[in-house]
Amino acid sequence: MKVRFVTPRYGPEVIGGAESGARQLAEHLVAETGWEAEVLTTCARDHLTWANELPAGRSEIGQVTVERFPTDRPRDLGGLALDGELRADPAAATFETTRRWVDLNGPVSTPLVEAVLAGGADVTVYYPYLYHPTVATIGAVPTPAILHPAAHDEPALYFPVFAPTFAAADALVLHTRAERRVVQRVHPVAATRQLLLGLGTEEPPPRRRRGGDVLGLGERPYLVSVGRVDAHKGSRLLASLFAEYKRRRPGPLALAFVGPVALELPPHPDIVVAGVLDEGDKWDAVRDALASVTASALEAFSLVVPEAWAGGVPVLVNAQCGATREHCERSGGGLAFGSYGEFAAGLDRLLDDPALRRALAGRGHAYGARHFAWPVLIARYAAFLEAVAAAGRRAVPA
């Protein structure tokens, strides 16, 4: 069985997001099944520019074959005005304007599109729905097409250009019930073959040093927020909420952001922006936190939530995010906030009650082990891929 993944970026240097999910699936699929996995992607590393930074051609990353193709051009920043216009009123958008948005959003790579359309695998897996390679090829690829939308309730999901993209998928793989609900509400895909899968978590590596030492906080108590430091990820919101909390409740508590930095936060004596840490340091920083906070409202899965539980830490999440709220509600492993008052009240509960922190983290860890252990996930995923391949390519609606 040969599985081909199509994703705009790929590799260990791509941290977080749908592309990271595609890499983890490809690597674990090969390790667990012995199948052949191939990735077709671009030479881009930065999703804001799509500049060709990585060498074109074939290589091996682990046991996965990766073939990179150059982008035709960097991202057209002239599309920012159109992006703002369409997101402000997606219901008024036309197919033509949203197709132009996809072209401007990129990454456009003519040789990548040609390679995908040439076929050469038993199934083609697209991850995520949002970018040009998916839109340009899913309706014409000769092999059965499986779409991992990695969708949340965002304006782009409503753009008319994506209706044929969802309609052309022979099957969908969805991260959470929340993602399935929003996708089925927006697109008529209830009859399309589907798998509710999620992503797997790894067991943390052995401890190396105290998290406070990693972050330069010494023995101070702290919260941690793992992921891209970006307004779209709720970083500005979290920094603002935390600053207000500290104004009202002075003390030693700190907040540490860990991950790629795409946003400069206002300086604050109790906020540390650590940037990207290696895996050992990241896990040490997570394990010694009082809680892990995920403020993003725009997540399809949010791997950092079950990873926090794997590290023995409870979570505090944005109640507006269906995926992370679902994790907490189904596991009993965390609290959610929808306002400053709820943020402060949740934080007070976690800080004042060590027994509650342990109970939440324990329930979350059990939930993650039950639902997101890689061998269990891959067994279900492999059976699904085989069924889709056996069914063959169905007729794509005109």
Short mmCIF file of all heavy atoms in Angstrom, two decimals, residues 99-133:
data_model
loop_
_atom_site.label_atom_id
_atom_site.label_comp_id
_atom_site.label_asym_id
_atom_site.label_seq_id
_atom_site.Cartn_x
_atom_site.Cartn_y
_atom_site.Cartn_z
N ARG A 99 -11.71 32.27 -5.56
CA ARG A 99 -10.68 31.52 -6.28
C ARG A 99 -9.42 32.39 -6.44
O ARG A 99 -8.29 31.89 -6.33
CB ARG A 99 -11.20 31.09 -7.66
CG ARG A 99 -10.16 30.32 -8.51
CD ARG A 99 -9.72 29.06 -7.80
NE ARG A 99 -8.39 28.64 -8.16
CZ ARG A 99 -8.09 27.42 -8.62
NH1 ARG A 99 -9.04 26.53 -8.81
NH2 ARG A 99 -6.85 27.12 -8.90
N ARG A 100 -9.63 33.67 -6.68
CA ARG A 100 -8.48 34.58 -6.74
C ARG A 100 -7.79 34.64 -5.38
O ARG A 100 -6.55 34.69 -5.31
CB ARG A 100 -8.95 35.98 -7.17
CG ARG A 100 -7.82 37.00 -7.27
CD ARG A 100 -8.26 38.26 -8.01
NE ARG A 100 -7.23 39.28 -7.91
CZ ARG A 100 -7.27 40.29 -7.05
NH1 ARG A 100 -8.30 40.43 -6.23
NH2 ARG A 100 -6.30 41.18 -7.00
N TRP A 101 -8.56 34.62 -4.31
CA TRP A 101 -7.98 34.61 -2.96
C TRP A 101 -7.10 33.37 -2.76
O TRP A 101 -6.01 33.46 -2.20
CB TRP A 101 -9.11 34.64 -1.93
CG TRP A 101 -8.65 34.57 -0.50
CD1 TRP A 101 -8.31 35.62 0.30
CD2 TRP A 101 -8.49 33.40 0.30
NE1 TRP A 101 -7.94 35.17 1.55
CE2 TRP A 101 -8.05 33.81 1.57
CE3 TRP A 101 -8.68 32.04 0.06
CZ2 TRP A 101 -7.79 32.89 2.61
CZ3 TRP A 101 -8.43 31.13 1.08
CH2 TRP A 101 -8.00 31.56 2.33
N VAL A 102 -7.55 32.21 -3.21
CA VAL A 102 -6.75 30.99 -3.09
C VAL A 102 -5.44 31.13 -3.84
O VAL A 102 -4.37 30.75 -3.35
CB VAL A 102 -7.54 29.76 -3.59
CG1 VAL A 102 -6.63 28.55 -3.76
CG2 VAL A 102 -8.68 29.43 -2.63
N ASP A 103 -5.50 31.70 -5.05
CA ASP A 103 -4.28 31.89 -5.84
C ASP A 103 -3.31 32.84 -5.13
O ASP A 103 -2.09 32.62 -5.14
CB ASP A 103 -4.62 32.44 -7.22
CG ASP A 103 -5.34 31.43 -8.10
OD1 ASP A 103 -5.24 30.22 -7.80
OD2 ASP A 103 -6.01 31.84 -9.06
N LEU A 104 -3.85 33.90 -4.51
CA LEU A 104 -2.98 34.84 -3.80
C LEU A 104 -2.47 34.25 -2.49
O LEU A 104 -1.34 34.52 -2.07
CB LEU A 104 -3.75 36.14 -3.53
CG LEU A 104 -4.14 36.98 -4.74
CD1 LEU A 104 -5.08 38.11 -4.34
CD2 LEU A 104 -2.90 37.54 -5.43
N ASN A 105 -3.30 33.45 -1.84
CA ASN A 105 -2.92 32.83 -0.56
C ASN A 105 -1.85 31.78 -0.75
O ASN A 105 -0.98 31.59 0.10
CB ASN A 105 -4.17 32.22 0.09
CG ASN A 105 -3.96 31.85 1.53
OD1 ASN A 105 -3.36 32.60 2.29
ND2 ASN A 105 -4.48 30.70 1.93
N GLY A 106 -1.89 31.07 -1.89
CA GLY A 106 -0.87 30.11 -2.25
C GLY A 106 -0.87 28.86 -1.39
O GLY A 106 -1.85 28.55 -0.74
N PRO A 107 0.26 28.15 -1.37
CA PRO A 107 1.41 28.37 -2.23
C PRO A 107 1.16 27.78 -3.61
O PRO A 107 0.75 26.64 -3.74
CB PRO A 107 2.53 27.60 -1.51
CG PRO A 107 1.82 26.46 -0.83
CD PRO A 107 0.48 27.01 -0.42
N VAL A 108 1.41 28.57 -4.64
CA VAL A 108 1.22 28.12 -6.01
C VAL A 108 2.53 27.50 -6.50
O VAL A 108 3.57 28.16 -6.52
CB VAL A 108 0.81 29.28 -6.93
CG1 VAL A 108 0.68 28.80 -8.37
CG2 VAL A 108 -0.51 29.89 -6.45
N SER A 109 2.47 26.23 -6.88
CA SER A 109 3.64 25.53 -7.42
C SER A 109 3.16 24.69 -8.60
O SER A 109 2.57 23.62 -8.41
CB SER A 109 4.29 24.65 -6.36
OG SER A 109 5.28 23.82 -6.94
N THR A 110 3.42 25.15 -9.80
CA THR A 110 2.99 24.41 -10.99
C THR A 110 3.58 23.01 -11.04
O THR A 110 2.84 22.05 -11.31
CB THR A 110 3.35 25.20 -12.26
OG1 THR A 110 2.69 26.47 -12.22
CG2 THR A 110 2.94 24.44 -13.51
N PRO A 111 4.88 22.81 -10.76
CA PRO A 111 5.40 21.44 -10.80
C PRO A 111 4.80 20.54 -9.71
O PRO A 111 4.65 19.33 -9.93
CB PRO A 111 6.91 21.61 -10.61
CG PRO A 111 7.10 22.98 -10.06
CD PRO A 111 5.97 23.79 -10.58
N LEU A 112 4.44 21.09 -8.57
CA LEU A 112 3.77 20.28 -7.54
C LEU A 112 2.41 19.82 -8.03
O LEU A 112 2.05 18.64 -7.89
CB LEU A 112 3.64 21.09 -6.25
CG LEU A 112 2.78 20.47 -5.13
CD1 LEU A 112 3.30 19.11 -4.73
CD2 LEU A 112 2.70 21.41 -3.93
N VAL A 113 1.64 20.73 -8.62
CA VAL A 113 0.32 20.37 -9.14
C VAL A 113 0.46 19.27 -10.19
O VAL A 113 -0.29 18.28 -10.18
CB VAL A 113 -0.38 21.61 -9.73
CG1 VAL A 113 -1.61 21.23 -10.54
CG2 VAL A 113 -0.76 22.57 -8.60
N GLU A 114 1.42 19.39 -11.09
CA GLU A 114 1.63 18.38 -12.14
C GLU A 114 1.98 17.03 -11.54
O GLU A 114 1.49 15.98 -12.00
CB GLU A 114 2.71 18.85 -13.10
CG GLU A 114 2.30 20.07 -13.94
CD GLU A 114 3.46 20.65 -14.74
OE1 GLU A 114 4.62 20.23 -14.50
OE2 GLU A 114 3.21 21.52 -15.60
N ALA A 115 2.82 17.02 -10.52
CA ALA A 115 3.21 15.76 -9.88
C ALA A 115 2.04 15.09 -9.19
O ALA A 115 1.88 13.86 -9.25
CB ALA A 115 4.35 16.01 -8.89
N VAL A 116 1.20 15.87 -8.53
CA VAL A 116 0.03 15.30 -7.86
C VAL A 116 -0.92 14.69 -8.88
O VAL A 116 -1.42 13.56 -8.71
CB VAL A 116 -0.70 16.37 -7.02
CG1 VAL A 116 -1.99 15.81 -6.44
CG2 VAL A 116 0.20 16.87 -5.90
N LEU A 117 -1.17 15.41 -9.98
CA LEU A 117 -2.12 14.93 -10.97
C LEU A 117 -1.60 13.73 -11.76
O LEU A 117 -2.39 13.01 -12.39
CB LEU A 117 -2.47 16.07 -11.94
CG LEU A 117 -3.22 17.26 -11.31
CD1 LEU A 117 -3.52 18.32 -12.36
CD2 LEU A 117 -4.51 16.79 -10.64
N ALA A 118 -0.30 13.49 -11.70
CA ALA A 118 0.27 12.32 -12.39
C ALA A 118 -0.06 11.02 -11.68
O ALA A 118 0.11 9.93 -12.25
CB ALA A 118 1.78 12.48 -12.51
N GLY A 119 -0.54 11.09 -10.44
CA GLY A 119 -0.89 9.87 -9.71
C GLY A 119 0.36 9.13 -9.26
O GLY A 119 1.44 9.70 -9.12
N GLY A 120 0.18 7.83 -8.98
CA GLY A 120 1.32 7.02 -8.56
C GLY A 120 1.23 6.49 -7.15
O GLY A 120 2.24 6.06 -6.58
N ALA A 121 0.03 6.50 -6.57
CA ALA A 121 -0.16 5.96 -5.23
C ALA A 121 -1.53 5.29 -5.17
O ALA A 121 -2.35 5.42 -6.08
CB ALA A 121 -0.06 7.07 -4.18
N ASP A 122 -1.77 4.55 -4.09
CA ASP A 122 -3.08 3.91 -3.93
C ASP A 122 -4.14 4.90 -3.45
O ASP A 122 -5.31 4.79 -3.82
CB ASP A 122 -2.97 2.75 -2.92
CG ASP A 122 -2.08 1.63 -3.44
OD1 ASP A 122 -2.46 1.00 -4.44
OD2 ASP A 122 -1.00 1.42 -2.87
N VAL A 123 -3.73 5.84 -2.62
CA VAL A 123 -4.62 6.91 -2.19
C VAL A 123 -3.81 8.20 -2.08
O VAL A 123 -2.60 8.16 -1.84
CB VAL A 123 -5.30 6.62 -0.83
CG1 VAL A 123 -6.29 5.48 -0.94
CG2 VAL A 123 -4.28 6.36 0.26
N THR A 124 -4.49 9.33 -2.23
CA THR A 124 -3.87 10.64 -2.05
C THR A 124 -4.54 11.33 -0.87
O THR A 124 -5.76 11.47 -0.84
CB THR A 124 -4.01 11.51 -3.31
OG1 THR A 124 -3.41 10.83 -4.43
CG2 THR A 124 -3.32 12.85 -3.13
N VAL A 125 -3.72 11.73 0.09
CA VAL A 125 -4.22 12.34 1.32
C VAL A 125 -3.88 13.83 1.30
O VAL A 125 -2.70 14.20 1.17
CB VAL A 125 -3.59 11.67 2.56
CG1 VAL A 125 -4.03 12.39 3.83
CG2 VAL A 125 -3.98 10.20 2.62
N TYR A 126 -4.91 14.68 1.43
CA TYR A 126 -4.72 16.13 1.45
C TYR A 126 -4.87 16.66 2.87
O TYR A 126 -5.80 16.30 3.59
CB TYR A 126 -5.78 16.81 0.57
CG TYR A 126 -5.61 16.54 -0.90
CD1 TYR A 126 -6.23 15.45 -1.51
CD2 TYR A 126 -4.85 17.39 -1.70
CE1 TYR A 126 -6.09 15.20 -2.86
CE2 TYR A 126 -4.69 17.15 -3.06
CZ TYR A 126 -5.32 16.05 -3.63
OH TYR A 126 -5.17 15.81 -4.98
N TYR A 127 -3.95 17.55 3.24
CA TYR A 127 -3.94 18.04 4.63
C TYR A 127 -3.30 19.43 4.62
O TYR A 127 -2.11 19.54 4.39
CB TYR A 127 -3.09 17.09 5.45
CG TYR A 127 -3.37 16.95 6.92
CD1 TYR A 127 -3.20 15.71 7.54
CD2 TYR A 127 -3.75 18.01 7.72
CE1 TYR A 127 -3.43 15.54 8.89
CE2 TYR A 127 -3.97 17.85 9.06
CZ TYR A 127 -3.81 16.61 9.65
OH TYR A 127 -4.03 16.45 10.99
N PRO A 128 -4.04 20.55 4.79
CA PRO A 128 -5.47 20.72 5.06
C PRO A 128 -6.22 21.16 3.81
O PRO A 128 -5.69 21.10 2.70
CB PRO A 128 -5.44 21.85 6.09
CG PRO A 128 -4.31 22.74 5.62
CD PRO A 128 -3.28 21.79 5.05
N TYR A 129 -7.46 21.68 4.00
CA TYR A 129 -8.29 22.09 2.86
C TYR A 129 -7.92 23.45 2.30
O TYR A 129 -8.24 23.77 1.17
CB TYR A 129 -9.77 22.13 3.30
CG TYR A 129 -10.20 23.41 4.02
CD1 TYR A 129 -10.80 24.46 3.33
CD2 TYR A 129 -9.99 23.59 5.39
CE1 TYR A 129 -11.18 25.63 3.98
CE2 TYR A 129 -10.37 24.74 6.04
CZ TYR A 129 -10.96 25.76 5.34
OH TYR A 129 -11.34 26.92 5.98
N LEU A 130 -7.22 24.28 3.05
CA LEU A 130 -7.20 25.73 2.88
C LEU A 130 -6.34 26.24 1.74
O LEU A 130 -6.51 27.37 1.29
CB LEU A 130 -6.73 26.36 4.20
CG LEU A 130 -6.92 27.85 4.42
CD1 LEU A 130 -8.39 28.23 4.35
CD2 LEU A 130 -6.35 28.25 5.79
N TYR A 131 -5.41 25.43 1.22
CA TYR A 131 -4.36 25.99 0.36
C TYR A 131 -4.46 25.53 -1.09
O TYR A 131 -5.14 24.55 -1.42
CB TYR A 131 -2.99 25.64 0.95
CG TYR A 131 -2.77 26.29 2.29
CD1 TYR A 131 -2.78 25.54 3.47
CD2 TYR A 131 -2.59 27.67 2.40
CE1 TYR A 131 -2.60 26.14 4.71
CE2 TYR A 131 -2.40 28.28 3.63
CZ TYR A 131 -2.41 27.51 4.78
OH TYR A 131 -2.23 28.11 6.00
N HIS A 132 -3.74 26.23 -1.93
CA HIS A 132 -3.82 26.05 -3.38
C HIS A 132 -3.59 24.62 -3.85
O HIS A 132 -4.35 24.14 -4.72
CB HIS A 132 -2.83 27.00 -4.06
CG HIS A 132 -2.89 26.96 -5.55
ND1 HIS A 132 -2.15 26.06 -6.31
CD2 HIS A 132 -3.61 27.69 -6.45
CE1 HIS A 132 -2.41 26.24 -7.58
NE2 HIS A 132 -3.29 27.22 -7.71
N PRO A 133 -2.58 23.88 -3.37
CA PRO A 133 -2.38 22.52 -3.90
C PRO A 133 -3.61 21.63 -3.74
O PRO A 133 -3.91 20.81 -4.61
CB PRO A 133 -1.19 22.00 -3.08
CG PRO A 133 -0.44 23.22 -2.68
CD PRO A 133 -1.50 24.25 -2.42
#
